[in-house]
Amino acid sequence: MSKVEEYEELRPLLFSIAYRILGSVGEAEDAVQETWLRYDGSSTRPTSAKAFLSATVTRISVDVLRSARVRREEYVGPWFPEPLLSDPYQDPARSAELADSVSMAALLLLERLSPLERAVFVLREVFGFGFDEVASAVGRSEPACRQLLVRARGHMRAGRPRFEAVREEREQLAAQFFDALREGDVTGLRDLLAADVSMVGDGGGKAPQLARAVIGPENVARLLVAVLPRMTLVGVTFEPHEINGQPGAVFRDRDGKVLQTLVLDILDGQIQAILAVINPDKLGHLGAVADSWAIHREVRQVHRPMESD
């Protein structure tokens, strides 16, 4: 097998590792490309292409994450990972770990870890690498990696109780949510929301977003029912779509350009959080991006006469 063939066969795995470490589609793709350049430029063939490429993409991703953290400290408003519509890497033997680790909630918890803790957790807990492979990838001893993993597991468990939701039940609840949203059914929406539900948007200062999180089922339901009809009047539509392994939707303007994504975080049979990614910098990999400010102004102009009645 040629180097190109080895790389292409492993590319889905490499991207999935990088995305979980970085939380960014664009940065993960860049890390994977840089991995290929280093592999192609190497004068020797490693014993295991998988071990070499996985270690390389991990080291690159850790370096990128260290610099990205400085930028994220200056980020305007809440920071969410870039939405991922489908994970290119599939492994039936680790399907539960893969699905759980790519959710918005899990990726936000991973943000609490140090870059090395995050890399060790992703390689060992998510992808099942041996401690010898993990140690080689992050440049630490096996005992040190075991300690990093213990700390990472502690942070992850403390932040989010693990709950294996039945996929069919989750999809049914999401369908009920979007039906109620289309119908403007405040009561129907409220009944699906947890008592401490929150709705938060990531605009990064580059798109209209909520000034603060909206908390509570009544407030969230009424906000959704108030906003969606206004958006519909200016041609905005939404299509339910799985995002980061969770029920969600992609919103588009009248020309089909991506306006935002919405993800439902479902636990214990209720919607615990609604997370919207509106920052245009995080949507470009999904297609042409809409001008959210123009749509915002158009919505206000359409409703100005109604508001003055």
Side-chain angles (χ1 to χ4, degrees):
M1 186 180 291
S2 69
K3 275 189 171 183
V4 173
E5 290 170 330
E6 288 176 331
Y7 169 76
E8 289 299 332
E9 183 177 279
L10 291 165
R11 183 202 285 265
L13 171 63
L14 303 179
F15 173 85
S16 293
I17 291 172
Y19 176 75
R20 285 164 173 80
I21 294 175
L22 293 166
S24 164
V25 173
E27 289 176 346
E29 289 175 341
D30 289 345
V32 172
Q33 180 62 28
E34 177 62 24
T35 298
W36 161 248
L37 294 175
R38 295 188 187 184
Y39 187 45
D40 185 46
S42 174
S43 59
T44 59
R45 294 288 289 271
T47 303
S48 168
K50 178 182 177 182
F52 177 86
L53 292 170
S54 299
T56 301
V57 81
T58 297
R59 294 190 198 108
I60 292 170
S61 298
V62 167
D63 288 343
V64 172
L65 180 61
R66 286 181 174 132
S67 61
R69 288 205 154 189
V70 176
R71 297 193 303 273
R72 289 175 192 177
E73 289 175 358
E74 302 172 352
Y75 195 80
V76 177
W79 180 93
F80 294 157
E82 291 182 8
L84 185 68
L85 297 191
S86 62
D87 189 354
Y89 179 71
Q90 301 297 322
D91 180 357
R94 304 195 66 79
S95 58
E97 291 85 352
L98 291 170
D100 184 66
S101 65
V102 82
S103 70
M104 283 280 185
L107 290 171
L108 288 171
L109 280 179
L110 284 171
E111 283 291 304
R112 302 181 183 183
L113 309 183
S114 72
L116 283 181
E117 287 172 346
R118 186 164 181 165
V120 169
F121 183 89
V122 167
L123 291 177
R124 176 64 183 175
E125 199 80 349
V126 179
F127 293 97
F129 280 69
F131 274 109
D132 57 335
E133 297 172 301
V134 175
S136 175
V138 301
R140 295 292 188 275
S141 67
E142 288 188 38
C145 288
R146 291 179 187 276
Q147 190 59 41
L148 286 166
L149 182 61
V150 168
R151 291 203 298 266
R153 283 174 174 168
H155 286 300
M156 296 297 285
R157 288 170 181 163
R160 177 181 172 89
R162 189 178 179 88
F163 178 79
E164 295 296 341
V166 177
R167 185 181 182 89
E168 290 76 14
E169 292 179 356
R170 187 185 64 183
E171 291 176 350
Q172 182 180 9
L173 190 150
Q176 292 173 344
F177 172 86
F178 288 118
D179 285 344
L181 185 59
R182 288 189 184 93
E183 296 167 5
D185 182 358
V186 173
T187 301
L189 285 171
R190 188 176 56 220
D191 291 344
L192 300 172
L193 305 176
D196 59 347
V197 65
S198 63
M199 182 172 176
V200 190
D202 171 358
K206 299 183 178 183
Q209 67 186 75
L210 299 170
R212 61 182 65 85
V214 179
I215 307 295
E218 184 71 28
N219 293 332
V220 170
R222 291 195 175 280
L223 174 64
L224 288 169
V225 169
V227 169
L228 186 64
R230 300 185 180 192
M231 297 173 70
T232 302
L233 282 174
V234 298
V236 173
T237 59
F238 71 87
E239 54 194 40
H241 200 296
E242 186 171 87
I243 299 172
N244 288 78
Q246 299 170 284
V250 178
F251 286 69
R252 299 181 184 274
D253 69 5
R254 61 168 60 91
D255 298 319
K257 295 180 179 179
V258 179
L259 176 63
Q260 68 174 64
T261 61
L262 197 73
V263 172
L264 307 180
D265 184 18
I266 297 174
L267 286 173
D268 262 337
Q270 289 185 306
I271 297 171
Q272 306 289 329
I274 301 173
L275 310 177
V277 176
I278 316 164
N279 185 341
D281 292 347
K282 296 185 176 184
L283 301 173
H285 61 285
L286 303 180
V289 180
D291 184 341
S292 57
W293 288 110
I295 291 174
H296 180 67
R297 290 192 296 270
E298 192 174 352
V299 167
R300 291 178 64 85
Q301 290 171 356
V302 166
H303 280 267
R304 189 168 296 153
M306 296 177 61
E307 294 169 351
S308 63
D309 288 345

mmCIF file with all atom_site columns, all heavy atoms in Angstrom, residues 214-234:
data_model
loop_
_atom_site.group_PDB
_atom_site.id
_atom_site.type_symbol
_atom_site.label_atom_id
_atom_site.label_alt_id
_atom_site.label_comp_id
_atom_site.label_asym_id
_atom_site.label_entity_id
_atom_site.label_seq_id
_atom_site.pdbx_PDB_ins_code
_atom_site.Cartn_x
_atom_site.Cartn_y
_atom_site.Cartn_z
_atom_site.occupancy
_atom_site.B_iso_or_equiv
_atom_site.pdbx_formal_charge
_atom_site.auth_seq_id
_atom_site.auth_comp_id
_atom_site.auth_asym_id
_atom_site.auth_atom_id
_atom_site.pdbx_PDB_model_num
ATOM 1   N N   . VAL A 1 214 ? -31.061 32.539 28.260 1.00 0.00 ? 214 VAL A N   1
ATOM 2   C CA  . VAL A 1 214 ? -32.464 32.553 28.671 1.00 0.00 ? 214 VAL A CA  1
ATOM 3   C C   . VAL A 1 214 ? -32.705 31.283 29.480 1.00 0.00 ? 214 VAL A C   1
ATOM 4   O O   . VAL A 1 214 ? -32.409 30.179 29.019 1.00 0.00 ? 214 VAL A O   1
ATOM 5   C CB  . VAL A 1 214 ? -33.405 32.608 27.453 1.00 0.00 ? 214 VAL A CB  1
ATOM 6   C CG1 . VAL A 1 214 ? -34.865 32.595 27.896 1.00 0.00 ? 214 VAL A CG1 1
ATOM 7   C CG2 . VAL A 1 214 ? -33.115 33.848 26.622 1.00 0.00 ? 214 VAL A CG2 1
ATOM 8   N N   . ILE A 1 215 ? -33.233 31.438 30.686 1.00 0.00 ? 215 ILE A N   1
ATOM 9   C CA  . ILE A 1 215 ? -33.361 30.312 31.618 1.00 0.00 ? 215 ILE A CA  1
ATOM 10  C C   . ILE A 1 215 ? -34.824 30.045 31.939 1.00 0.00 ? 215 ILE A C   1
ATOM 11  O O   . ILE A 1 215 ? -35.618 30.975 32.110 1.00 0.00 ? 215 ILE A O   1
ATOM 12  C CB  . ILE A 1 215 ? -32.607 30.597 32.937 1.00 0.00 ? 215 ILE A CB  1
ATOM 13  C CG1 . ILE A 1 215 ? -31.150 30.988 32.655 1.00 0.00 ? 215 ILE A CG1 1
ATOM 14  C CG2 . ILE A 1 215 ? -32.667 29.378 33.860 1.00 0.00 ? 215 ILE A CG2 1
ATOM 15  C CD1 . ILE A 1 215 ? -30.323 29.912 32.034 1.00 0.00 ? 215 ILE A CD1 1
ATOM 16  N N   . GLY A 1 216 ? -35.178 28.765 32.030 1.00 0.00 ? 216 GLY A N   1
ATOM 17  C CA  . GLY A 1 216 ? -36.521 28.369 32.451 1.00 0.00 ? 216 GLY A CA  1
ATOM 18  C C   . GLY A 1 216 ? -37.429 28.029 31.284 1.00 0.00 ? 216 GLY A C   1
ATOM 19  O O   . GLY A 1 216 ? -37.364 28.677 30.233 1.00 0.00 ? 216 GLY A O   1
ATOM 20  N N   . PRO A 1 217 ? -38.294 27.024 31.447 1.00 0.00 ? 217 PRO A N   1
ATOM 21  C CA  . PRO A 1 217 ? -39.143 26.556 30.347 1.00 0.00 ? 217 PRO A CA  1
ATOM 22  C C   . PRO A 1 217 ? -40.107 27.606 29.812 1.00 0.00 ? 217 PRO A C   1
ATOM 23  O O   . PRO A 1 217 ? -40.327 27.697 28.604 1.00 0.00 ? 217 PRO A O   1
ATOM 24  C CB  . PRO A 1 217 ? -39.876 25.351 30.941 1.00 0.00 ? 217 PRO A CB  1
ATOM 25  C CG  . PRO A 1 217 ? -39.765 25.517 32.417 1.00 0.00 ? 217 PRO A CG  1
ATOM 26  C CD  . PRO A 1 217 ? -38.474 26.211 32.666 1.00 0.00 ? 217 PRO A CD  1
ATOM 27  N N   . GLU A 1 218 ? -40.678 28.402 30.690 1.00 0.00 ? 218 GLU A N   1
ATOM 28  C CA  . GLU A 1 218 ? -41.636 29.416 30.242 1.00 0.00 ? 218 GLU A CA  1
ATOM 29  C C   . GLU A 1 218 ? -40.946 30.466 29.390 1.00 0.00 ? 218 GLU A C   1
ATOM 30  O O   . GLU A 1 218 ? -41.426 30.827 28.303 1.00 0.00 ? 218 GLU A O   1
ATOM 31  C CB  . GLU A 1 218 ? -42.301 30.071 31.455 1.00 0.00 ? 218 GLU A CB  1
ATOM 32  C CG  . GLU A 1 218 ? -43.391 31.079 31.098 1.00 0.00 ? 218 GLU A CG  1
ATOM 33  C CD  . GLU A 1 218 ? -44.643 30.419 30.537 1.00 0.00 ? 218 GLU A CD  1
ATOM 34  O OE1 . GLU A 1 218 ? -44.911 29.247 30.882 1.00 0.00 ? 218 GLU A OE1 1
ATOM 35  O OE2 . GLU A 1 218 ? -45.359 31.081 29.748 1.00 0.00 ? 218 GLU A OE2 1
ATOM 36  N N   . ASN A 1 219 ? -39.806 30.967 29.867 1.00 0.00 ? 219 ASN A N   1
ATOM 37  C CA  . ASN A 1 219 ? -39.079 32.008 29.140 1.00 0.00 ? 219 ASN A CA  1
ATOM 38  C C   . ASN A 1 219 ? -38.559 31.503 27.793 1.00 0.00 ? 219 ASN A C   1
ATOM 39  O O   . ASN A 1 219 ? -38.659 32.191 26.771 1.00 0.00 ? 219 ASN A O   1
ATOM 40  C CB  . ASN A 1 219 ? -37.904 32.512 29.979 1.00 0.00 ? 219 ASN A CB  1
ATOM 41  C CG  . ASN A 1 219 ? -38.352 33.255 31.218 1.00 0.00 ? 219 ASN A CG  1
ATOM 42  O OD1 . ASN A 1 219 ? -39.434 33.848 31.246 1.00 0.00 ? 219 ASN A OD1 1
ATOM 43  N ND2 . ASN A 1 219 ? -37.534 33.217 32.253 1.00 0.00 ? 219 ASN A ND2 1
ATOM 44  N N   . VAL A 1 220 ? -38.008 30.293 27.787 1.00 0.00 ? 220 VAL A N   1
ATOM 45  C CA  . VAL A 1 220 ? -37.453 29.742 26.556 1.00 0.00 ? 220 VAL A CA  1
ATOM 46  C C   . VAL A 1 220 ? -38.566 29.486 25.543 1.00 0.00 ? 220 VAL A C   1
ATOM 47  O O   . VAL A 1 220 ? -38.439 29.834 24.358 1.00 0.00 ? 220 VAL A O   1
ATOM 48  C CB  . VAL A 1 220 ? -36.675 28.438 26.846 1.00 0.00 ? 220 VAL A CB  1
ATOM 49  C CG1 . VAL A 1 220 ? -36.303 27.732 25.539 1.00 0.00 ? 220 VAL A CG1 1
ATOM 50  C CG2 . VAL A 1 220 ? -35.418 28.750 27.652 1.00 0.00 ? 220 VAL A CG2 1
ATOM 51  N N   . ALA A 1 221 ? -39.668 28.888 25.982 1.00 0.00 ? 221 ALA A N   1
ATOM 52  C CA  . ALA A 1 221 ? -40.771 28.570 25.073 1.00 0.00 ? 221 ALA A CA  1
ATOM 53  C C   . ALA A 1 221 ? -41.354 29.841 24.459 1.00 0.00 ? 221 ALA A C   1
ATOM 54  O O   . ALA A 1 221 ? -41.613 29.905 23.249 1.00 0.00 ? 221 ALA A O   1
ATOM 55  C CB  . ALA A 1 221 ? -41.856 27.790 25.814 1.00 0.00 ? 221 ALA A CB  1
ATOM 56  N N   . ARG A 1 222 ? -41.563 30.852 25.274 1.00 0.00 ? 222 ARG A N   1
ATOM 57  C CA  . ARG A 1 222 ? -42.149 32.099 24.763 1.00 0.00 ? 222 ARG A CA  1
ATOM 58  C C   . ARG A 1 222 ? -41.198 32.827 23.819 1.00 0.00 ? 222 ARG A C   1
ATOM 59  O O   . ARG A 1 222 ? -41.637 33.433 22.842 1.00 0.00 ? 222 ARG A O   1
ATOM 60  C CB  . ARG A 1 222 ? -42.568 33.008 25.928 1.00 0.00 ? 222 ARG A CB  1
ATOM 61  C CG  . ARG A 1 222 ? -43.752 32.456 26.710 1.00 0.00 ? 222 ARG A CG  1
ATOM 62  C CD  . ARG A 1 222 ? -44.396 33.483 27.606 1.00 0.00 ? 222 ARG A CD  1
ATOM 63  N NE  . ARG A 1 222 ? -45.589 32.938 28.253 1.00 0.00 ? 222 ARG A NE  1
ATOM 64  C CZ  . ARG A 1 222 ? -46.771 32.830 27.673 1.00 0.00 ? 222 ARG A CZ  1
ATOM 65  N NH1 . ARG A 1 222 ? -46.927 33.256 26.424 1.00 0.00 ? 222 ARG A NH1 1
ATOM 66  N NH2 . ARG A 1 222 ? -47.799 32.314 28.327 1.00 0.00 ? 222 ARG A NH2 1
ATOM 67  N N   . LEU A 1 223 ? -39.903 32.769 24.105 1.00 0.00 ? 223 LEU A N   1
ATOM 68  C CA  . LEU A 1 223 ? -38.937 33.408 23.210 1.00 0.00 ? 223 LEU A CA  1
ATOM 69  C C   . LEU A 1 223 ? -38.943 32.716 21.850 1.00 0.00 ? 223 LEU A C   1
ATOM 70  O O   . LEU A 1 223 ? -38.976 33.378 20.806 1.00 0.00 ? 223 LEU A O   1
ATOM 71  C CB  . LEU A 1 223 ? -37.535 33.344 23.817 1.00 0.00 ? 223 LEU A CB  1
ATOM 72  C CG  . LEU A 1 223 ? -36.413 33.852 22.904 1.00 0.00 ? 223 LEU A CG  1
ATOM 73  C CD1 . LEU A 1 223 ? -36.595 35.347 22.611 1.00 0.00 ? 223 LEU A CD1 1
ATOM 74  C CD2 . LEU A 1 223 ? -35.051 33.595 23.525 1.00 0.00 ? 223 LEU A CD2 1
ATOM 75  N N   . LEU A 1 224 ? -38.926 31.393 21.848 1.00 0.00 ? 224 LEU A N   1
ATOM 76  C CA  . LEU A 1 224 ? -38.922 30.653 20.590 1.00 0.00 ? 224 LEU A CA  1
ATOM 77  C C   . LEU A 1 224 ? -40.161 30.961 19.758 1.00 0.00 ? 224 LEU A C   1
ATOM 78  O O   . LEU A 1 224 ? -40.076 31.191 18.546 1.00 0.00 ? 224 LEU A O   1
ATOM 79  C CB  . LEU A 1 224 ? -38.844 29.155 20.870 1.00 0.00 ? 224 LEU A CB  1
ATOM 80  C CG  . LEU A 1 224 ? -37.493 28.639 21.370 1.00 0.00 ? 224 LEU A CG  1
ATOM 81  C CD1 . LEU A 1 224 ? -37.626 27.202 21.865 1.00 0.00 ? 224 LEU A CD1 1
ATOM 82  C CD2 . LEU A 1 224 ? -36.450 28.711 20.267 1.00 0.00 ? 224 LEU A CD2 1
ATOM 83  N N   . VAL A 1 225 ? -41.306 30.971 20.398 1.00 0.00 ? 225 VAL A N   1
ATOM 84  C CA  . VAL A 1 225 ? -42.557 31.217 19.681 1.00 0.00 ? 225 VAL A CA  1
ATOM 85  C C   . VAL A 1 225 ? -42.651 32.662 19.202 1.00 0.00 ? 225 VAL A C   1
ATOM 86  O O   . VAL A 1 225 ? -43.292 32.955 18.183 1.00 0.00 ? 225 VAL A O   1
ATOM 87  C CB  . VAL A 1 225 ? -43.763 30.858 20.587 1.00 0.00 ? 225 VAL A CB  1
ATOM 88  C CG1 . VAL A 1 225 ? -45.074 31.345 19.979 1.00 0.00 ? 225 VAL A CG1 1
ATOM 89  C CG2 . VAL A 1 225 ? -43.821 29.344 20.798 1.00 0.00 ? 225 VAL A CG2 1
ATOM 90  N N   . ALA A 1 226 ? -42.002 33.567 19.900 1.00 0.00 ? 226 ALA A N   1
ATOM 91  C CA  . ALA A 1 226 ? -42.019 34.974 19.480 1.00 0.00 ? 226 ALA A CA  1
ATOM 92  C C   . ALA A 1 226 ? -41.081 35.219 18.309 1.00 0.00 ? 226 ALA A C   1
ATOM 93  O O   . ALA A 1 226 ? -41.373 36.020 17.416 1.00 0.00 ? 226 ALA A O   1
ATOM 94  C CB  . ALA A 1 226 ? -41.630 35.869 20.657 1.00 0.00 ? 226 ALA A CB  1
ATOM 95  N N   . VAL A 1 227 ? -39.949 34.522 18.277 1.00 0.00 ? 227 VAL A N   1
ATOM 96  C CA  . VAL A 1 227 ? -38.910 34.812 17.287 1.00 0.00 ? 227 VAL A CA  1
ATOM 97  C C   . VAL A 1 227 ? -39.141 34.095 15.961 1.00 0.00 ? 227 VAL A C   1
ATOM 98  O O   . VAL A 1 227 ? -38.974 34.682 14.886 1.00 0.00 ? 227 VAL A O   1
ATOM 99  C CB  . VAL A 1 227 ? -37.520 34.440 17.855 1.00 0.00 ? 227 VAL A CB  1
ATOM 100 C CG1 . VAL A 1 227 ? -36.464 34.486 16.761 1.00 0.00 ? 227 VAL A CG1 1
ATOM 101 C CG2 . VAL A 1 227 ? -37.152 35.389 18.987 1.00 0.00 ? 227 VAL A CG2 1
ATOM 102 N N   . LEU A 1 228 ? -39.527 32.817 15.997 1.00 0.00 ? 228 LEU A N   1
ATOM 103 C CA  . LEU A 1 228 ? -39.594 32.040 14.757 1.00 0.00 ? 228 LEU A CA  1
ATOM 104 C C   . LEU A 1 228 ? -40.563 32.625 13.725 1.00 0.00 ? 228 LEU A C   1
ATOM 105 O O   . LEU A 1 228 ? -40.213 32.713 12.542 1.00 0.00 ? 228 LEU A O   1
ATOM 106 C CB  . LEU A 1 228 ? -39.957 30.584 15.048 1.00 0.00 ? 228 LEU A CB  1
ATOM 107 C CG  . LEU A 1 228 ? -39.892 29.693 13.805 1.00 0.00 ? 228 LEU A CG  1
ATOM 108 C CD1 . LEU A 1 228 ? -38.470 29.610 13.267 1.00 0.00 ? 228 LEU A CD1 1
ATOM 109 C CD2 . LEU A 1 228 ? -40.422 28.298 14.104 1.00 0.00 ? 228 LEU A CD2 1
ATOM 110 N N   . PRO A 1 229 ? -41.782 33.037 14.091 1.00 0.00 ? 229 PRO A N   1
ATOM 111 C CA  . PRO A 1 229 ? -42.674 33.613 13.081 1.00 0.00 ? 229 PRO A CA  1
ATOM 112 C C   . PRO A 1 229 ? -42.075 34.834 12.395 1.00 0.00 ? 229 PRO A C   1
ATOM 113 O O   . PRO A 1 229 ? -42.275 35.044 11.192 1.00 0.00 ? 229 PRO A O   1
ATOM 114 C CB  . PRO A 1 229 ? -43.924 33.989 13.881 1.00 0.00 ? 229 PRO A CB  1
ATOM 115 C CG  . PRO A 1 229 ? -43.903 33.074 15.061 1.00 0.00 ? 229 PRO A CG  1
ATOM 116 C CD  . PRO A 1 229 ? -42.450 32.926 15.399 1.00 0.00 ? 229 PRO A CD  1
ATOM 117 N N   . ARG A 1 230 ? -41.337 35.640 13.136 1.00 0.00 ? 230 ARG A N   1
ATOM 118 C CA  . ARG A 1 230 ? -40.700 36.813 12.539 1.00 0.00 ? 230 ARG A CA  1
ATOM 119 C C   . ARG A 1 230 ? -39.661 36.389 11.506 1.00 0.00 ? 230 ARG A C   1
ATOM 120 O O   . ARG A 1 230 ? -39.547 36.981 10.434 1.00 0.00 ? 230 ARG A O   1
ATOM 121 C CB  . ARG A 1 230 ? -40.028 37.657 13.625 1.00 0.00 ? 230 ARG A CB  1
ATOM 122 C CG  . ARG A 1 230 ? -40.982 38.162 14.692 1.00 0.00 ? 230 ARG A CG  1
ATOM 123 C CD  . ARG A 1 230 ? -40.273 39.077 15.656 1.00 0.00 ? 230 ARG A CD  1
ATOM 124 N NE  . ARG A 1 230 ? -41.167 39.584 16.687 1.00 0.00 ? 230 ARG A NE  1
ATOM 125 C CZ  . ARG A 1 230 ? -40.867 40.568 17.521 1.00 0.00 ? 230 ARG A CZ  1
ATOM 126 N NH1 . ARG A 1 230 ? -39.677 41.148 17.439 1.00 0.00 ? 230 ARG A NH1 1
ATOM 127 N NH2 . ARG A 1 230 ? -41.724 40.972 18.425 1.00 0.00 ? 230 ARG A NH2 1
ATOM 128 N N   . MET A 1 231 ? -38.904 35.364 11.845 1.00 0.00 ? 231 MET A N   1
ATOM 129 C CA  . MET A 1 231 ? -37.893 34.870 10.909 1.00 0.00 ? 231 MET A CA  1
ATOM 130 C C   . MET A 1 231 ? -38.556 34.266 9.671  1.00 0.00 ? 231 MET A C   1
ATOM 131 O O   . MET A 1 231 ? -38.082 34.447 8.545  1.00 0.00 ? 231 MET A O   1
ATOM 132 C CB  . MET A 1 231 ? -36.999 33.837 11.600 1.00 0.00 ? 231 MET A CB  1
ATOM 133 C CG  . MET A 1 231 ? -36.200 34.404 12.763 1.00 0.00 ? 231 MET A CG  1
ATOM 134 S SD  . MET A 1 231 ? -35.313 33.140 13.706 1.00 0.00 ? 231 MET A SD  1
ATOM 135 C CE  . MET A 1 231 ? -34.060 32.652 12.519 1.00 0.00 ? 231 MET A CE  1
ATOM 136 N N   . THR A 1 232 ? -39.656 33.564 9.878  1.00 0.00 ? 232 THR A N   1
ATOM 137 C CA  . THR A 1 232 ? -40.373 32.948 8.765  1.00 0.00 ? 232 THR A CA  1
ATOM 138 C C   . THR A 1 232 ? -40.874 33.998 7.778  1.00 0.00 ? 232 THR A C   1
ATOM 139 O O   . THR A 1 232 ? -40.852 33.788 6.558  1.00 0.00 ? 232 THR A O   1
ATOM 140 C CB  . THR A 1 232 ? -41.554 32.118 9.285  1.00 0.00 ? 232 THR A CB  1
ATOM 141 O OG1 . THR A 1 232 ? -41.061 31.119 10.185 1.00 0.00 ? 232 THR A OG1 1
ATOM 142 C CG2 . THR A 1 232 ? -42.288 31.436 8.150  1.00 0.00 ? 232 THR A CG2 1
ATOM 143 N N   . LEU A 1 233 ? -41.298 35.142 8.284  1.00 0.00 ? 233 LEU A N   1
ATOM 144 C CA  . LEU A 1 233 ? -41.822 36.201 7.432  1.00 0.00 ? 233 LEU A CA  1
ATOM 145 C C   . LEU A 1 233 ? -40.775 36.741 6.458  1.00 0.00 ? 233 LEU A C   1
ATOM 146 O O   . LEU A 1 233 ? -41.125 37.274 5.408  1.00 0.00 ? 233 LEU A O   1
ATOM 147 C CB  . LEU A 1 233 ? -42.372 37.344 8.286  1.00 0.00 ? 233 LEU A CB  1
ATOM 148 C CG  . LEU A 1 233 ? -43.760 37.112 8.901  1.00 0.00 ? 233 LEU A CG  1
ATOM 149 C CD1 . LEU A 1 233 ? -44.110 38.267 9.825  1.00 0.00 ? 233 LEU A CD1 1
ATOM 150 C CD2 . LEU A 1 233 ? -44.808 36.975 7.805  1.00 0.00 ? 233 LEU A CD2 1
ATOM 151 N N   . VAL A 1 234 ? -39.505 36.634 6.819  1.00 0.00 ? 234 VAL A N   1
ATOM 152 C CA  . VAL A 1 234 ? -38.455 37.126 5.916  1.00 0.00 ? 234 VAL A CA  1
ATOM 153 C C   . VAL A 1 234 ? -37.780 35.971 5.181  1.00 0.00 ? 234 VAL A C   1
ATOM 154 O O   . VAL A 1 234 ? -36.665 36.114 4.667  1.00 0.00 ? 234 VAL A O   1
ATOM 155 C CB  . VAL A 1 234 ? -37.408 37.971 6.686  1.00 0.00 ? 234 VAL A CB  1
ATOM 156 C CG1 . VAL A 1 234 ? -38.076 39.192 7.297  1.00 0.00 ? 234 VAL A CG1 1
ATOM 157 C CG2 . VAL A 1 234 ? -36.693 37.148 7.746  1.00 0.00 ? 234 VAL A CG2 1
#
